[in-house]
């Protein structure tokens, strides 16, 4: 099955990273994968949530949103509806969990890292792009803390990135764009560390159930994409 984008089945979309896209956060990046563009920023707050007070460790949390004009048809702001959608809450928690999995919270000290991921253009894979870009913003913020001599050591143990993979008409495809994601028979989001550990696997069969063999094939395909994304992160922020 030929892809509308012209990509091969195991080819990710073109990546573009613009560091320090906005000046006020401690770290920021405009992360682009094909037509999906996410502005990721990391801001440091010198306090922690009440449940961590006087525990000698920090916290990493995330907020996620999509601009009304980021989708094909305008999406109303969630603020105007008075509450966050279930999807938004789920993605925020996913981004937070993903980053906490690779941060040494004790070495971070009693600080909170606020990660903001704002989708300015959506073409599929926004949660995956948010996680991959958020890691870069986090690292830029940590480097600034170290440069300012507020921490002795960057409290990040590993890289973390995310990619989608799916099955359409019996074919495994890597990094689904919106035209593919909207008609996929199976849709997986894979989050892994640079060391190869899984942070999360989100998988859904939209129609027919999928088999162990198909699952293994999709995980192998996802590994290829994750390695490419982590290579981009290394080029952008350097070795840990």
């Amino acid at each position: 099955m030929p892809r509308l984008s012209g990509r091969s089945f195991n080819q990710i979309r073109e990546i573009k990273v613009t560091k320090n896209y906005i000046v006020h956060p401690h770290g920021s990046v405009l992360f682009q994968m094909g037509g999906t563009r996410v502005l990721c920023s990391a801001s440091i707050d010198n306090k922690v949530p009440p449940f961590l007070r006087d525990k000698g460790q920090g916290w990493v949390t995330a907020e996620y949103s999509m601009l009304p004009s980021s989708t094909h048809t305008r999406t109303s702001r969630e603020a105007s509806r008075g509450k966050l959608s279930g999807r938004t809450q789920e993605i925020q928690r996913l981004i937070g969990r993903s980053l906490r999995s690779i941060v040494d919270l004790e070495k971070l000290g009693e600080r909170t890292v606020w990660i903001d991921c704002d989708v300015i253009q959506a073409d599929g894979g926004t949660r995956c792009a948010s996680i991959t870009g958020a890691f870069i913003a986090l690292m830029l913020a940590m480097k600034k803390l170290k440069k300012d001599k507020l921490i002795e050591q960057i409290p990040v143990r590993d890289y973390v990135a995310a990619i989608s993979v799916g099955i359409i008409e019996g074919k495994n495809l890597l990094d689904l764009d919106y035209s593919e994601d909207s008609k996929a028979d199976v849709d997986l989001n894979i989050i892994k560390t640079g060391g190869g550990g899984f942070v999360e696997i989100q998988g859904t069969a939209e129609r027919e159930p999928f088999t162990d063999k198909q699952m293994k094939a999709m995980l192998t395909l996802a590994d290829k994409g994750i390695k490419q994304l982590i290579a981009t992160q290394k080029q952008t922020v350097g070795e840990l």
Side-chain angles (χ1 to χ4, degrees):
M1 184 199 76
R3 305 180 79 169
L4 292 177
S5 62
R7 290 183 287 145
S8 62
F9 77 96
N10 63 352
Q11 184 179 1
I12 66 174
R13 291 171 288 180
E14 182 181 2
I15 301 171
K16 184 177 179 181
V17 177
T18 306
K19 292 193 296 183
N20 304 314
Y21 192 74
I22 50 179
V23 299
H24 299 298
H26 292 81
S28 71
V29 62
L30 178 63
F31 188 81
Q32 301 175 237
M33 285 194 73
T36 290
R37 301 176 184 180
V38 186
L39 175 58
C40 303
S41 63
S43 303
I44 312 296
D45 192 358
N46 290 316
K47 59 183 180 180
V48 292
F51 70 92
L52 285 176
R53 200 166 293 154
D54 300 322
K55 297 286 182 66
Q57 71 174 70
W59 190 244
V60 181
T61 189
E63 293 189 3
Y64 167 96
S65 68
M66 298 181 68
L67 294 187
S69 56
S70 65
T71 51
H72 296 282
T73 56
R74 184 185 185 277
T75 303
S76 62
R77 296 182 191 273
E78 291 185 326
S80 67
R81 286 178 271 171
K83 65 177 181 178
L84 297 178
S85 69
R87 176 183 181 274
T88 293
Q89 293 182 58
E90 183 243 326
I91 292 175
Q92 291 184 164
R93 291 167 182 158
L94 174 63
I95 298 168
R97 285 196 302 273
S98 298
L99 295 180
R100 288 194 298 272
S101 75
I102 49 85
V103 172
D104 188 324
L105 296 175
E106 290 187 0
K107 289 182 180 177
L108 176 61
E110 292 200 3
R111 300 179 177 90
T112 298
V113 183
W114 286 94
I115 301 293
D116 290 293
C117 296
D118 293 284
V119 179
I120 63 176
Q121 184 169 288
D123 187 27
T126 62
R127 74 184 65 197
C128 293
S130 294
I131 292 167
T132 307
F135 173 83
I136 296 174
L138 172 73
M139 277 298 297
L140 293 174
M142 294 298 102
K143 284 176 173 285
K144 187 176 189 304
L145 283 186
K146 186 178 180 183
K147 182 181 178 182
D148 294 342
K149 298 183 179 180
L150 296 173
I151 55 174
E152 294 182 3
Q153 182 181 354
I154 291 177
V156 178
R157 295 185 292 255
D158 205 348
Y159 303 85
V160 67
I163 197 76
S164 66
V165 62
I167 300 176
I168 301 177
E169 297 179 7
K171 186 73 173 179
N172 294 335
L173 299 178
L174 181 64
D175 187 21
L176 306 182
D177 60 28
Y178 177 76
S179 67
E180 296 165 336
D181 182 60
S182 59
K183 63 180 180 182
D185 299 312
V186 177
D187 182 15
L188 261 65
N189 295 303
I190 311 294
I191 301 96
K192 296 189 75 173
T193 66
F198 287 100
V199 176
E200 193 146 341
I201 302 173
Q202 299 180 331
T204 304
E206 300 291 348
R207 296 178 179 83
E208 295 296 322
F210 54 97
T211 65
D212 285 348
K213 183 178 180 180
Q214 289 173 311
M215 180 70 169
K216 289 175 182 176
M218 285 188 285
L219 293 179
T220 299
L221 192 56
D223 273 345
K224 182 179 187 297
I226 293 285
K227 288 175 181 176
Q228 289 178 267
L229 292 172
I230 289 176
T232 296
Q233 290 176 334
K234 289 181 178 180
Q235 290 170 4
T236 306
V237 301
E239 298 287 341
L240 299 182

